[in-house]
Amino acid sequence: MSEIKKYLAYEGRINIICAETTDLVEEARKLHDLSPVATAAFGRVLTMASIMSTRIKGDESITIQIKGNGPIGNITCVYNGLNEVKGFVGNPTVDLPLKENGKIDVGGAVGKDGFLYVIRDMKLKEQYVGVTPLLSGEIAEDFTKYFAESEQTPCVVALGVLVDKNGVKKAGGYFITLMPDAKEEDIEKLEKNLKVIPSVTEMLDSNKTLQEMAETITGDDNLMVMLGDIIPKYKCDCSKERFIKNVEKLSKDDIDKLYENGDTEIETVCQFCNKKYHIKRDEIKK
Ligand SMILES: [Zn+2]
C-alpha cells in the first residue's frame, strides 16, 4: 500500500504528515534491481520526497540530491507535481554488512561527508536551491538538519524501509512541524512520547493505520484530519520522443559518433526506469 495523510494534533498546534510508501519503494526496487541497502537508502529519500510533495503548491516540482562519499554514489529523486516520484542511485548493487545492532547500514552506504540539495521549481523564472552538509547519511537526520538550517523549520523526521528476502515488506515515514502557537508543554509532551514509541516500520508492520500511527506518535486521540487520499506512486514519464529530442540537441559530430561503425540505430536507457529505446538514424534526420 502507498498512502499519505496529514493531521493536526494538540488542538491544532502540531502538524503531522504520515506516509506509507511500501508499494512505491517496492516498484523502485524492482525497476532498478536494488540491493537491500540501496533499497533502504533510496526508499527513505523517495518517502521523504513524497511527504514533501504534500507541503507544496499544485504543479511545483522538487528534485532532491544526496551526494555523500559512500559506495552508493549520488542519490537523485524527482517529484513531478502529480503525486509521482522517480529517481536513481549511482550504485544500485552496493552491498554492506549489517550494523552491530542488526540494522541495514544506510549511513555507511551514503557516507556522512557530503551535501543534501533540494531544488524547488515553482515554475517561476528562478529555482529555489537549498543545501546543507550531511549529518550522518542516515537520511532522516540529514533532512531534519536541512529543514532547520535551510528552511528555518524545526521538525521531526522519521523514515524507515523494512526489507526481507521477498523485497520491501514495509516502508514509510512521518514529518512533524510546530504551528506558530505551539506551547512549550506541547513540545515536552511530544519529545517524551517520541522516546518510547516503536519505529515507523514496526508500527506499519503491526498493521497500524496512518491515523493510529499519528495517534501513537503524538499521544493524542483527538486528531483533526487535514488531508487524505493521496496515493503517491513511483512513475517515470519518459518516452521515445523525449530521447530523440535530447539526441537532436547534440552537435552533428557527436551524433555521427553515436552511429559510428555503420550502426543504424542506437540504444538509450532511461536512468529513472531502465526502459530501453532504440533510435534509428532516420528518426533523427527527420
Ligand atoms: Zn523512464
Side-chain angles (χ1 to χ4, degrees), residues 48-111:
M48 193 63 211
S50 304
I51 288 174
M52 285 165 74
S53 74
T54 66
R55 302 179 73 245
I56 56 172
K57 288 203 197 87
D59 59 349
E60 193 177 313
S61 65
I62 307 174
T63 301
I64 295 168
Q65 284 182 317
I66 296 185
K67 298 183 176 179
N69 62 335
I72 198 169
N74 294 346
I75 302 175
T76 302
C77 181
V78 180
Y79 168 74
N80 68 358
L82 302 166
N83 297 329
E84 294 165 358
V85 287
K86 61 177 184 176
F88 54 94
V89 301
N91 177 7
T93 58
V94 57
D95 187 22
L96 288 178
L98 295 177
K99 293 195 287 192
E100 275 175 21
N101 61 8
K103 296 242 163 74
I104 293 180
D105 191 3
V106 172
V110 174

Side-chain angles (χ1 to χ4, degrees), residues 236 238 270 273:
C236 187
C238 64
C270 174
C273 69

Side-chain angles (χ1 to χ4, degrees), residues 112-172:
K112 62 178 166 49
D113 292 322
F115 293 90
L116 163 62
Y117 300 83
V118 175
I119 302 139
R120 288 172 60 182
D121 185 351
M122 300 166 226
K123 312 283 182 238
L124 301 168
K125 274 183 185 154
E126 299 211 5
Q127 293 180 330
Y128 164 86
V129 183
V131 56
T132 44
L134 295 174
L135 186 66
S136 64
E138 290 281 340
I139 315 289
E141 295 170 2
D142 303 300
F143 274 105
T144 308
K145 183 168 186 267
Y146 165 79
F147 279 103
E149 291 179 2
S150 196
E151 299 198 8
Q152 286 75 49
T153 305
C155 65
V156 178
V157 180
L159 301 165
V161 178
L162 183 63
V163 185
D164 68 10
K165 61 180 191 314
N166 300 316
V168 178
K169 194 169 179 219
K170 290 286 172 187

Side-chain angles (χ1 to χ4, degrees), residues 2-283:
S2 292
E3 188 179 22
I4 300 180
K5 286 195 169 168
K6 213 174 195 173
Y7 306 94
L8 287 174
Y10 304 170
E11 295 165 332
R13 298 189 298 273
I14 281 187
N15 190 331
I16 174 165
I17 302 169
C18 292
E20 172 163 7
T21 52
T22 306
D23 291 349
L24 186 163
V25 178
E26 173 63 6
E27 177 70 9
R29 185 193 71 80
K30 284 194 284 194
L31 282 174
H32 292 280
D33 200 11
L34 300 170
S35 69
V37 68
T39 305
F42 191 34
R44 289 182 193 181
V45 182
L46 289 167
T47 301
M48 193 63 211
S50 304
I51 288 174
M52 285 165 74
S53 74
T54 66
R55 302 179 73 245
I56 56 172
K57 288 203 197 87
D59 59 349
E60 193 177 313
S61 65
I62 307 174
T63 301
I64 295 168
Q65 284 182 317
I66 296 185
K67 298 183 176 179
N69 62 335
I72 198 169
N74 294 346
I75 302 175
T76 302
C77 181
V78 180
Y79 168 74
N80 68 358
L82 302 166
N83 297 329
E84 294 165 358
V85 287
K86 61 177 184 176
F88 54 94
V89 301
N91 177 7
T93 58
V94 57
D95 187 22
L96 288 178
L98 295 177
K99 293 195 287 192
E100 275 175 21
N101 61 8
K103 296 242 163 74
I104 293 180
D105 191 3
V106 172
V110 174
K112 62 178 166 49
D113 292 322
F115 293 90
L116 163 62
Y117 300 83
V118 175
I119 302 139
R120 288 172 60 182
D121 185 351
M122 300 166 226
K123 312 283 182 238
L124 301 168
K125 274 183 185 154
E126 299 211 5
Q127 293 180 330
Y128 164 86
V129 183
V131 56
T132 44
L134 295 174
L135 186 66
S136 64
E138 290 281 340
I139 315 289
E141 295 170 2
D142 303 300
F143 274 105
T144 308
K145 183 168 186 267
Y146 165 79
F147 279 103
E149 291 179 2
S150 196
E151 299 198 8
Q152 286 75 49
T153 305
C155 65
V156 178
V157 180
L159 301 165
V161 178
L162 183 63
V163 185
D164 68 10
K165 61 180 191 314
N166 300 316
V168 178
K169 194 169 179 219
K170 290 286 172 187
Y174 59 85
F175 181 85
I176 306 172
T177 48
L178 307 174
M179 302 301 272
D181 57 349
K183 299 175 189 164
E184 200 54 48
E185 62 198 71
D186 295 334
I187 299 168
E188 280 167 22
K189 184 179 174 191
L190 186 64
E191 282 177 343
K192 218 171 135 193
N193 236 12
L194 289 171
K195 282 192 187 119
V196 297
I197 58 166
S199 70
V200 180
T201 47
E202 280 167 341
M203 285 191 274
L204 290 171
D205 203 27
S206 64
N207 292 321
K208 274 194 197 301
T209 63
L210 293 181
Q211 179 147 348
E212 287 165 346
M213 203 163 110
E215 287 167 356
T216 306
I217 295 160
T218 56
D220 182 350
D221 50 16
N222 284 307
L223 297 173
M224 288 179 250
V225 183
M226 299 306 290
L227 186 71
D229 301 326
I230 294 181
I231 311 291
K233 287 191 187 75
Y234 190 100
K235 198 170 167 207
C236 187
D237 48 1
C238 64
S239 65
K240 187 169 184 179
E241 289 65 39
R242 191 175 289 187
F243 277 93
I244 291 174
K245 278 209 178 76
N246 285 335
V247 176
E248 282 170 352
K249 283 180 201 151
L250 300 171
S251 70
K252 193 178 173 302
D253 279 358
D254 286 335
I255 293 177
D256 285 341
K257 269 184 209 148
L258 287 173
Y259 290 94
E260 67 187 350
N261 306 325
D263 290 346
T264 55
E265 65 171 35
I266 50 167
E267 182 179 276
T268 59
V269 180
C270 174
Q271 59 189 351
F272 292 101
C273 69
N274 286 320
K275 197 167 172 186
K276 286 179 184 155
Y277 294 95
H278 294 93
I279 301 174
K280 292 199 168 64
R281 197 180 184 105
D282 299 351
E283 292 175 298

